[in-house]
Amino acid sequence: MCGIAGLAGDFEDAHGRDLVRTLNHSLALRGPDAEGLESWPGAVLGHRRLSIFDLSELGNQPMLSRTASRSCVQRSHLQLS
């Protein structure tokens, strides 16, 4: 099972990244295979990954749009057909 951490609001960027990084580390047992962290003004998303179906790096999160203006994290799998 994976782990998700995030923060939204009015905070200093470095403080928000540090806080979510700490939260991510506390979720290490839920997702020991990979760790991701992305931030924007007013938001930070973190993810811990447990690789089950897709063992490649293509499943690492947070997932970003091509312009990196949008992102998502999820705790499940996507099946594309």
Side-chain angles (χ1 to χ4, degrees), residues 1 4 6 8 17-18 22 25 31 38 41 45 50 63 67 77:
M1 116 180 42
I4 296 172
R17 287 182 66 85
D18 288 344
T22 299
H25 288 284
E38 294 291 336
L45 292 175
L50 175 62
M63 295 180 182
T67 63
H77 70 279

Side-chain angles (χ1 to χ4, degrees), residues 1 27-35 48-51:
M1 116 180 42
L27 298 171
L29 292 176
R30 296 178 62 91
D33 297 324
E35 176 181 18
R48 294 295 307 209
R49 181 174 180 211
L50 175 62
S51 302

Side-chain angles (χ1 to χ4, degrees), residues 7-79:
L7 180 64
D10 186 23
F11 52 85
E12 291 184 28
D13 290 340
H15 178 70
R17 287 182 66 85
D18 288 344
L19 181 58
V20 173
R21 187 174 291 113
T22 299
L23 292 169
N24 253 7
H25 288 284
S26 73
L27 298 171
L29 292 176
R30 296 178 62 91
D33 297 324
E35 176 181 18
L37 185 77
E38 294 291 336
S39 66
W40 303 265
V44 183
L45 292 175
H47 185 267
R48 294 295 307 209
R49 181 174 180 211
L50 175 62
S51 302
I52 296 174
F53 298 112
D54 180 2
L55 304 181
S56 75
E57 291 183 11
L58 295 174
N60 288 350
Q61 297 185 47
M63 295 180 182
L64 298 172
S65 65
R66 287 188 179 118
T67 63
S69 62
R70 296 184 181 145
S71 179
C72 73
V73 291
Q74 65 176 34
R75 206 185 120 217
S76 100
H77 70 279
L78 295 174
Q79 184 171 343

